[in-house]
Amino acid sequence: MGRDPPGPAEDEAPGAAAAGAGAGAGAAAAGREGGGGEEGEGRARGGAEAGGCYLALCARPVHFEKANPVNCVFFDEANKQVFAVRSGGATGVVVKGLEDRNPISFRMEDKGEVKCIKFSLGNKILAVQRTLKSVDFLNFIPDSPQLEYTQECKTKNANILGFCWTSSTEIVFITDQGIEFYQVLPEKRSLKLLKNQSINVNWYMYCPESSVILLSTTVLGNVLQPFYFKSGTMSKLSKFEIELPAAPKSSKLSLSERDIAMATIYGQLYILYLRHHSRTSNSTGAEVVLYHLPREGSCKKTHILKLNRTGKFALNVVDNLVVVHHQDTETSVIFDIKLKGEFDGSTTIHQFVLPPRSIQPYQIPAAGPASVTSQAPVPCKLYSSSWIVFQPDIIISASEGYLWSLQVKLEPVVNLLLDKGKLMDFLLQRKECKMVILSVCSQMLSEPERGSLSVIATVFDKLNHEYKKYLEAEQSYTMVVETGLSRSNPLLKRPVRTQAVIDQSDMYTHVLSVFTEKKEAPHKFTIAVLMEYIRSLNQFQIAVQHYLYELVIKTLVQHNLFYMLHQFLQYHVLSDSKPLACLLLSLESIYPPAHQLSLDMLKRLSTANDEIVEVLLSKHQVLAALRFIRGIGGHDSISARKFLDAAKQAEDEMLFYTIFRFFEQRNQRLRGNPSFTPGEHCEEHVTFFKQVFGEHALMKPTTF
Amino acid sequence: LRMAAAGAAGHEKQLAPTLLSFFIYNPKLGPKEGEEEKKILFYHPNEVEKNEKIRNVGLCEAIVQFTRTFSPTKPAKSLHTQKNRQFFHEPEENFWMVMVVRNPIIEKHKDGKPVYEYQEEELLDKVYSSVLQQCYSMYKLFNGTFLRAMEDGGVKMLKERLEKFFHRYLQTLHLQSCDLLDVFCGISFFPLDKMTYLKIQSFINRMEESLNIVKYTAFLYNDQLIWSGLEQDDMRILYKYLTTSLFPRHMEPELAGRDSPIRAEMPGNLQHYGRFLTGPLNLNDPETKCRFPKIFVNTDDTYEELHLIVYKNLTSAFLCLTASIPPTLEFCRKLDSIVGPQLTVLASDICEQYNINKRISGAEKEPQFKFIYFNHMNLAEKSTIHMRKTPSVSLASVHPDLMKILGDINSDFSRVDEDEEIIVKAMSDYWVVGKKSDQRELYVILNQKNVNLIEVNEEVKKLCATQFNNIFFLD
């Protein structure tokens, strides 16, 4: 978001520091409204007491030396680093980040009050602004010149409002008269101007995630001009105007940077505008207006988030959710723009997803890490006026010296969103959703919160919709790769499997097998649930894994519901497979028709002819086996010994005679001689045949 | 055809077999001499003089006793005489049912006088034994077992129930048109794709959940079964009741082209999606009677007494529910409002799928084989020989002689366990082929001039390849 905090807070009240950070509405916003926050307060307080905090500060915050007269603190949004500058750098600068746990510390010469300090990406070059006209640079690249160098802004009489690094060596100066885009040449200790643009600037804002700088122009300040930076190029995107709630009375700056935020939500860049409650309109409270800023095309107002309250607000974006903090009630609400809202033809109006709740209570270790054991932790004052909020998810307490990232906790959401369909819509969009979703599934299948079948069906459908989307993406990717088209399309990437992809094995392992084993639900319900899942998979044309069928069969067999099983198989609801056919065969002793079902299945598979022969032989249906193999034209390659063995075991002499004769004829036809070859290992059977029917019964070789 | 043939033979008239008498007795109820009448629980026709009843019962008892000495576990099932045939059935211990059928007669005129020739060998034992067994099954479906009636209210109660049931039921026995299908008493299943089937499953499960007095559900379309939550044996007899009695009774006024009287009585008809074939006629009339027939299922096991609700949607979908407690009018309204709209959607899905399948398989183009297929395992039955069933008759479209050959082949099959194939050359270029593979039986009637055994065999193979390619049916 906006500029760095004004750092040295020595001559400002902590509250003012928060407002100055430009992240939230701050005191000024409330002031403008004339303090109309009572209604919202009552509503939110009740919510806060009900528990179930779904927002939390991260467990491992960055601790830094808090701001005081000799220590100035700065925050860089691009690298998410906190700079503690003691005595202008002379007694040390300590840089700590959320990601890099090892602090960087160094000293620099005190050349006056530091206004702004930031590393380039990758901590290569340090930029320090001490005056309104120039920025100083210091290389942090090993074996490069260590002396500071300076760049003055090109535009005459312009004042530098600030600067932003857009890469490890590219920097943008924002002045009140325009922007200047430079390439830093650390070896030469100089900068090269790449591009500049003249424009009157009231204030600016930078979104490092999307490399977009937003400038406030015109007298009212509500015309915003975005610029996009990428590897040495600067492109001007189309400007747009923020609709102000009421026509301003005088020609003075009417759009404050405090009411604007930029963030990437679901991969798209949005400008978030906090529109305060206006007495003239009939709105029930403040709202956040979202403008979608595409890389190409014009910026459009797309979403309105209804806050239904007034007062001081601050915004964060966490896990694609817009979080709105309300200082008066010390609660926050969240919005998900992917959830259904009220569409009025151009914009979608959203209500908050969950009732307002406070951020989870947080304990601050009493003192430094060394004395953690000796003293009890102190509860942290939440929604403090000294809090400064940065995009997307940073909260800084300047007075206590902590930097947190804000997190969304999904477990409490489960009990707050009672509509399971909506809950799934919500969870499926979250990053760390898998285990929560699976536990919701388990929960809805068991007492005391057992869901109705139609709810269960809705949940399954939502899960499988997501699952299918992934399978399709994966399939088309594989197809492109296999057909070799991938070379012509370098942008092609393997689809990412997010946690929202809950496949059959997840459901089986974590939900369905546990649920069927527990046996607490009536079997009717158990089977209905399994069938519902199979129905849902089929509806999305996802091939059902055989272990799900096995689960169905197991459950039906346990409850002696064989007729039901029979009907399912009859209508091919349980799809054919060899494992399933084998399972059915094993059921024959308790349910004889399973034999027929199994054979039918093997027949349909058309790849299981050997199995069919084995099944028939095991039941001494030697003739049937022979007729079957002859029917499919495989009788020339079968083992004579196997059939003769089976015929002998059947203890039916006529049968043995028939089978023996069949193979004699086969030998005659294939080799011109009815006798068996030694390789066929039928000596024992020839002997037996002679014993029973006499030597003369053997077939005579036919001579031509 | 048959009539024409008879006419050509000149003044010959064939009289179909008819029911002579039907009685039920229990020898343990009147063991002493002089008390024989007590044994008789039901006797049709009732007009028969008491002593004759006693005599006939006594004769049957004697025959059964006598034959038992030769085969203790399987006493006589039927007795052939010149004029009639008697069938015996002991459905419950010591309870005997006897059905006496008069043999068909050819009436000839000799010297101006009618001469009757009894055709002793025409009737098939298996067909009529099955009819007798179904009489019991049907009684049991609506009344429970004989024993249960005795326990409930002694002999008096049993007699009342038998009288009430058989008095009407015997009139619906059409002995002249009984054939092989009566032996099978099978179920015709509606062919359906997996997805539509799963949707129906899902629908039934949800419906049973929201209407929790519903215990079992059966779903039918076009008089064919799609799903049964009831066990096979119970469904078998219920299916017979639905398709041969209840459905045709409600179908005929519609087919006749006039509004059914039921609909005319329903002014608020538009709000309803379907109607109840059992239970209330008019859901809007608070005075309407909400009485459902009771049925008894799982009589060997849990012995459940249920209330039969049959709901028909405006198309051909039937929902047959069984409730554990008597359904109220309130319940019926709820059912109508929950089930009605969904059933309509499902029915159109089914219809659509059915038409797609028909187009894909090109069922219309195929040569029309006349065949009967039956699978003992799931009772699936398919016949291209029989016309639509009506309450009056289920007519076969082939000559009775051919049907008799089918019956004979079936009797042969039932004597052995092994797979068999029988090919019969019948009169006037007809061939009848019977095949038995595992638990399946197939009977085909071919009519081709100058064909030999091999060609007939080839034809049957062709039929199997087109109609039964997805089951294991040995060639």
Side-chain angles (χ1 to χ4, degrees):
Chain A
M1 146 158 282
R3 234 173 310 171
D4 305 339
E10 55 258 64
D11 50 5
E12 286 182 82
R32 237 183 299 164
E33 278 173 76
E38 291 89 339
E39 28 171 345
E41 216 169 315
R43 159 202 278 264
R45 196 176 294 141
E49 279 161 14
C53 304
Y54 47 81
L55 289 166
L57 302 172
C58 68
R60 293 178 65 198
V62 175
H63 185 44
F64 55 88
E65 190 181 349
K66 59 191 169 195
N68 62 45
V70 289
N71 184 46
C72 300
V73 179
F74 300 90
F75 177 66
D76 169 22
E77 287 166 285
N79 291 323
K80 294 196 168 58
Q81 287 168 331
V82 186
F83 288 76
V85 182
R86 289 184 66 92
S87 320
T91 52
V93 178
V94 180
V95 187
K96 286 182 178 174
L98 260 179
E99 274 115 49
D100 33 274
R101 285 278 149 193
N102 295 327
I104 305 168
S105 33
F106 56 90
R107 279 169 207 280
M108 59 184 192
E109 209 179 316
D110 185 357
K111 290 180 180 170
E113 183 199 319
V114 172
K115 288 184 181 301
C116 184
I117 180 166
K118 285 171 186 177
F119 269 121
S120 73
L121 302 187
N123 303 334
K124 298 275 193 297
I125 304 161
L126 181 73
V128 188
Q129 186 195 354
R130 296 186 174 100
T131 73
L132 285 171
K133 300 291 176 192
S134 66
V135 178
D136 305 324
F137 295 88
L138 191 59
N139 292 342
F140 271 71
I141 307 162
D143 310 322
S144 65
Q146 299 294 307
L147 272 176
E148 273 193 22
Y149 46 106
T150 303
Q151 177 68 47
E152 274 189 32
C153 71
K154 294 274 187 209
T155 321
K156 296 273 178 292
N157 305 321
N159 287 330
I160 297 177
L161 300 176
F163 63 85
C164 319
W165 286 102
T166 60
S167 77
S168 59
T169 56
E170 285 160 351
I171 192 164
V172 182
F173 289 3
I174 299 99
T175 71
D176 51 2
Q177 291 173 34
I179 56 173
E180 298 168 4
F181 183 34
Y182 293 98
Q183 160 113 53
V184 184
L185 307 165
E187 300 299 321
K188 292 185 180 165
R189 295 178 52 244
S190 68
L191 278 79
K192 185 177 121 194
L193 182 69
L194 294 172
K195 204 159 186 187
N196 65 339
Q197 171 98 34
S198 288
I199 186 169
N200 280 323
V201 179
N202 303 309
W203 47 262
Y204 78 96
M205 193 168 283
Y206 179 48
C207 176
E209 265 180 292
S210 52
S211 297
V212 170
I213 290 177
L214 198 61
L215 306 178
S216 155
T217 68
T218 71
V219 182
L220 294 174
N222 65 332
V223 176
L224 302 179
Q225 174 63 62
F227 287 93
Y228 170 59
F229 298 86
K230 200 189 172 195
S231 52
T233 63
M234 172 176 101
S235 34
K236 193 173 173 180
L237 306 178
S238 54
K239 65 180 174 190
F240 61 98
E241 191 178 327
I242 299 276
E243 295 166 39
L244 296 171
K249 286 177 194 97
S250 57
S251 314
K252 61 166 193 187
L253 191 62
S254 301
L255 181 67
S256 158
E257 60 177 307
R258 289 189 299 259
D259 295 336
I260 296 290
M262 265 201 290
T264 311
I265 305 170
Y266 294 117
Q268 296 294 315
L269 181 63
Y270 285 91
I271 313 298
L272 291 81
Y273 166 47
L274 180 65
R275 181 154 70 186
H276 293 282
H277 174 66
S278 129
R279 294 215 179 274
T280 50
S281 71
N282 4 324
S283 67
T284 51
E287 53 197 32
V288 176
V289 185
L290 266 61
Y291 292 82
H292 177 219
L293 183 59
R295 190 124 312 153
E296 274 158 34
S298 56
C299 184
K300 262 197 221 100
K301 181 164 120 178
T302 52
H303 300 273
I304 293 174
L305 316 179
K306 288 284 192 189
L307 300 178
N308 293 334
R309 35 166 77 181
T310 57
K312 295 183 207 168
F313 299 100
L315 301 175
N316 273 134
V317 173
V318 185
D319 204 358
N320 293 315
L321 294 167
V322 178
V323 183
V324 183
H325 307 290
H326 189 229
Q327 196 178 42
D328 307 17
T329 56
E330 298 190 359
T331 56
S332 308
V333 287
I334 54 175
F335 295 89
D336 185 346
I337 59 168
K338 274 226 179 148
L339 289 189
K340 242 204 207 115
E342 212 181 298
F343 188 63
D344 70 356
S346 61
T347 51
T348 312
I349 298 164
H350 296 268
Q351 306 293 335
F352 37 76
V353 183
L354 303 167
R357 287 287 185 273
S358 165
I359 295 172
Q360 207 170 55
Y362 186 85
Q363 309 280 328
I364 288 181
S371 55
V372 169
T373 44
S374 61
Q375 268 172 296
V378 186
C380 172
K381 168 88 180 95
L382 301 173
Y383 300 91
S384 150
S385 55
S386 72
W387 273 18
I388 314 163
V389 175
F390 292 94
Q391 296 318 314
D393 58 350
I394 302 296
I395 293 175
I396 291 177
S397 170
S399 65
E400 282 162 316
Y402 280 96
L403 178 150
W404 295 279
S405 64
L406 188 65
Q407 295 169 333
V408 173
K409 299 266 168 208
L410 297 180
E411 286 83 4
V413 176
V414 173
N415 299 321
L416 292 173
L417 247 186
L418 296 178
D419 178 339
K420 290 273 187 292
K422 207 171 160 196
L423 176 64
M424 279 300 143
D425 287 339
F426 178 83
L427 291 176
L428 283 169
Q429 301 297 340
R430 308 284 76 84
K431 267 193 207 89
E432 308 271 321
C433 61
K434 182 177 257 174
M435 291 325 285
V436 180
I437 288 175
L438 290 170
S439 84
V440 170
C441 290
S442 290
Q443 200 186 56
M444 75 180 176
L445 297 184
S446 48
E447 298 293 356
E449 287 173 80
R450 208 170 89 185
S452 74
L453 284 172
S454 57
V455 167
I456 291 165
T458 309
V459 170
F460 287 166
D461 284 348
K462 286 185 188 294
L463 296 183
N464 289 328
H465 177 71
E466 206 64 31
Y467 177 27
K468 176 67 179 175
K469 271 203 308 206
Y470 169 73
L471 290 178
E472 270 178 352
E474 176 79 30
Q475 199 187 9
S476 55
Y477 169 80
T478 323
M479 235 168 68
V480 171
V481 169
E482 276 172 5
T483 52
L485 288 171
S486 54
R487 263 161 282 151
S488 59
N489 186 0
L491 286 176
L492 184 82
K493 274 188 219 146
R494 190 180 196 93
V496 182
R497 186 184 168 135
T498 65
Q499 286 208 5
V501 178
I502 311 267
D503 65 15
Q504 296 172 61
S505 114
D506 293 327
M507 281 302 281
Y508 176 84
T509 314
H510 297 280
V511 182
L512 297 174
S513 67
V514 184
F515 160 65
T516 49
E517 261 161 44
K518 259 199 273 176
K519 292 183 190 124
E520 57 173 26
H523 62 79
K524 206 170 171 174
F525 180 75
T526 310
I527 292 155
V529 167
L530 294 175
M531 293 315 288
E532 203 59 64
Y533 188 59
I534 290 173
R535 179 211 46 84
S536 182
L537 289 169
N538 271 288
Q539 196 145 316
F540 288 96
Q541 294 169 311
I542 301 168
V544 181
Q545 297 294 320
H546 73 85
Y547 46 72
L548 286 175
Y549 293 142
E550 276 164 26
L551 203 56
V552 173
I553 295 178
K554 227 171 72 186
T555 313
L556 291 169
V557 168
Q558 259 163 16
H559 297 97
N560 287 316
L561 298 168
F562 291 106
Y563 190 43
M564 223 180 247
L565 171 64
H566 203 126
Q567 293 183 69
F568 288 156
L569 288 160
Q570 198 178 321
Y571 281 94
H572 309 301
V573 164
L574 311 177
S575 307
D576 302 340
S577 70
K578 271 190 206 177
L580 213 56
C582 293
L583 179 62
L584 286 173
L585 269 184
S586 72
L587 292 176
E588 195 195 340
S589 59
I590 40 173
Y591 185 61
H595 174 72
Q596 192 191 65
L597 290 166
S598 172
L599 271 182
D600 291 350
M601 194 177 276
L602 291 171
K603 162 88 187 297
R604 285 191 298 267
L605 284 169
S606 79
T607 54
N609 296 330
D610 294 345
E611 282 86 350
I612 292 178
V613 169
E614 292 300 328
V615 169
L616 291 173
L617 288 182
S618 73
K619 305 217 82 184
H620 303 309
Q621 294 179 323
V622 191
L623 217 48
L626 203 55
R627 284 173 67 191
F628 169 75
I629 203 82
R630 198 178 58 183
I632 58 161
H635 53 293
D636 282 354
S637 53
I638 46 168
S639 148
R641 188 192 157 96
K642 191 197 277 181
F643 280 78
L644 289 168
D645 277 344
K648 203 174 160 198
Q649 275 163 22
E651 288 174 1
D652 177 345
E653 287 182 356
M654 270 327 289
L655 178 70
F656 185 82
Y657 183 88
T658 312
I659 301 295
F660 192 86
R661 183 63 92 221
F662 173 86
F663 284 105
E664 280 188 321
Q665 282 166 353
R666 183 181 84 166
N667 294 341
Q668 173 71 42
R669 189 162 44 81
L670 296 178
R671 293 193 300 269
N673 192 316
S675 57
F676 292 89
T677 62
E680 290 179 280
H681 303 291
C682 292
E683 295 78 9
E684 167 199 348
H685 299 297
V686 175
T687 316
F688 179 73
F689 185 86
K690 283 191 216 158
Q691 256 173 32
V692 179
F693 304 105
E695 183 130 19
H696 60 278
L698 285 173
M699 203 171 137
K700 306 282 179 298
T702 328
T703 45
F704 296 101
Chain B
L1 185 88
R2 200 193 326 174
M3 292 310 287
H11 307 299
E12 268 191 28
K13 211 164 109 193
Q14 184 150 18
L15 299 174
T18 51
L19 181 69
L20 281 182
S21 56
F22 184 99
F23 46 90
I24 300 164
Y25 67 91
N26 182 337
K28 298 276 180 251
L29 293 175
K32 288 187 204 138
E33 213 158 315
E35 285 184 347
E36 286 92 346
E37 200 191 351
K38 287 185 180 171
K39 296 177 190 173
I40 306 172
L41 295 163
F42 174 80
Y43 201 102
H44 166 88
N46 198 24
E47 302 77 54
V48 173
E49 197 259 328
K50 188 179 104 181
N51 283 324
E52 197 189 331
K53 287 181 186 171
I54 294 172
R55 249 199 330 275
N56 286 337
V57 168
L59 179 64
C60 292
E61 232 186 301
I63 290 164
V64 169
Q65 272 311 327
F66 174 68
T67 53
R68 223 191 265 278
T69 50
F70 303 103
S71 167
T73 52
K74 287 183 185 168
K77 287 216 168 120
S78 69
L79 176 68
H80 297 210
T81 65
Q82 188 205 359
K83 290 184 177 176
N84 60 43
R85 203 172 282 189
Q86 302 194 16
F87 299 92
F88 313 109
H89 179 46
E90 186 188 21
E92 293 175 42
E93 200 183 356
N94 293 318
F95 287 95
W96 285 88
M97 295 173 84
V98 181
M99 179 169 80
V100 186
V101 181
R102 196 205 61 208
N103 282 327
I105 303 172
I106 293 180
E107 189 190 302
K108 286 181 180 168
H109 288 270
K110 229 179 208 173
D111 312 327
K113 281 184 208 159
V115 179
Y116 298 108
E117 252 177 48
Y118 286 91
Q119 296 183 288
E120 284 173 56
E121 296 309 316
E122 280 304 296
L123 296 182
L124 288 167
D125 275 350
K126 270 197 84 181
V127 170
Y128 292 92
S129 299
S130 303
V131 169
L132 183 57
Q133 282 163 29
Q134 280 162 36
C135 285
Y136 172 74
S137 299
M138 199 63 88
Y139 168 85
K140 192 181 72 172
L141 178 69
F142 290 103
N143 296 278
T145 59
F146 294 157
L147 196 66
R148 189 56 75 101
M150 296 273 280
E151 286 165 7
D152 287 351
V155 178
K156 190 168 167 283
M157 171 74 83
L158 177 58
K159 278 182 167 176
E160 277 171 18
R161 285 188 187 167
L162 290 171
E163 181 65 36
K164 201 171 156 220
F165 179 80
F166 283 108
H167 177 70
R168 271 191 62 198
Y169 185 74
L170 291 180
Q171 295 173 22
T172 66
L173 287 180
H174 298 280
L175 296 183
Q176 69 278 16
S177 57
C178 292
D179 59 30
L180 189 56
L181 285 195
D182 293 283
V183 175
F184 295 147
C185 191
I187 295 171
S188 177
F189 286 92
F190 188 84
L192 203 59
D193 69 295
K194 175 162 70 170
M195 194 57 233
T196 316
Y197 189 80
L198 282 166
K199 278 190 202 161
I200 292 171
Q201 269 295 310
S202 171
F203 160 73
I204 290 169
N205 287 335
R206 288 186 212 183
M207 189 258 318
E208 286 184 356
E209 186 184 50
S210 51
L211 302 168
N212 57 9
I213 65 165
V214 173
K215 268 207 108 169
Y216 307 105
T217 308
F219 192 101
L220 294 93
Y221 189 85
N222 259 354
D223 285 8
Q224 291 175 301
L225 186 67
I226 292 179
W227 166 255
S228 165
L230 285 164
E231 284 303 313
Q232 197 178 46
D233 282 344
D234 293 323
M235 192 62 228
R236 179 186 218 169
I237 196 70
L238 181 61
Y239 178 80
K240 188 175 169 69
Y241 165 71
L242 294 172
T243 54
T244 62
S245 173
L246 186 69
F247 293 170
R249 237 176 19 232
H250 287 83
M251 200 73 85
E252 296 218 319
E254 286 172 28
L255 285 177
R258 57 197 150 96
D259 272 353
S260 86
I262 296 153
R263 263 196 233 179
E265 282 166 27
M266 286 164 73
N269 188 32
L270 279 178
Q271 298 157 28
H272 298 286
Y273 304 96
R275 59 197 172 94
F276 289 88
L277 300 193
T278 63
L281 293 177
N282 182 352
L283 290 179
N284 292 331
D285 178 9
E287 301 295 307
T288 192
K289 276 190 188 124
C290 219
R291 275 168 54 195
F292 292 88
K294 274 190 216 163
I295 61 165
F296 296 81
V297 299
N298 291 330
T299 47
D300 298 336
D301 184 13
T302 46
Y303 205 95
E304 290 169 89
E305 181 179 334
L306 302 166
H307 303 265
L308 179 68
I309 310 160
V310 182
Y311 183 83
K312 176 191 183 294
N313 119 319
L314 294 178
T315 64
S316 311
F318 292 93
L319 201 56
C320 179
L321 310 148
T322 57
S324 46
I325 57 165
T328 60
L329 186 60
E330 203 45 52
F331 171 87
C332 295
R333 287 189 182 134
K334 193 178 169 196
L335 186 139
D336 186 50
S337 69
I338 291 179
V339 165
Q342 296 184 58
L343 198 57
T344 307
V345 175
L346 271 181
S348 74
D349 273 8
I350 296 170
C351 187
E352 196 180 310
Q353 272 303 325
Y354 178 66
N355 290 331
I356 290 171
N357 289 347
K358 233 162 84 179
R359 229 175 302 132
I360 292 170
S361 65
E364 294 104 344
K365 286 176 230 148
E366 269 170 38
Q368 270 299 307
F369 284 100
K370 286 196 184 301
F371 70 86
I372 296 178
Y373 163 84
F374 182 70
N375 181 356
H376 287 272
M377 285 299 177
N378 60 359
L379 308 180
E381 166 190 287
K382 202 171 175 183
S383 166
T384 59
I385 290 175
H386 291 77
M387 314 285 216
R388 206 178 66 85
K389 282 173 187 163
T390 67
S392 42
V393 268
S394 151
L395 271 183
S397 62
V398 297
H399 195 275
D401 288 351
L402 290 170
M403 289 308 292
K404 188 168 174 284
I405 296 175
L406 297 187
D408 286 335
I409 297 175
N410 169 259
S411 305
D412 284 346
F413 284 163
S414 53
R415 270 194 286 274
V416 277
D417 268 346
E418 270 145 51
D419 293 357
E420 274 188 352
E421 188 166 334
I422 298 173
I423 301 180
V424 179
K425 170 85 176 75
M427 69 296 177
S428 54
D429 294 323
Y430 275 105
W431 289 79
V432 178
V433 182
K435 274 168 76 81
K436 177 172 179 256
S437 170
D438 194 18
Q439 298 293 317
R440 293 179 167 113
E441 289 174 32
L442 175 69
Y443 303 86
V444 188
I445 299 174
L446 294 165
N447 186 12
Q448 273 173 15
K449 276 199 174 28
N450 305 322
V451 286
N452 60 31
L453 198 61
I454 293 166
E455 286 161 332
V456 167
N457 199 31
E458 284 304 310
E459 279 298 305
V460 174
K461 265 189 181 171
K462 233 189 272 172
L463 170 74
C464 289
T466 55
Q467 296 274 337
F468 305 105
N469 61 337
N470 63 347
I471 54 171
F472 186 80
F473 201 69
L474 268 181
D475 289 327

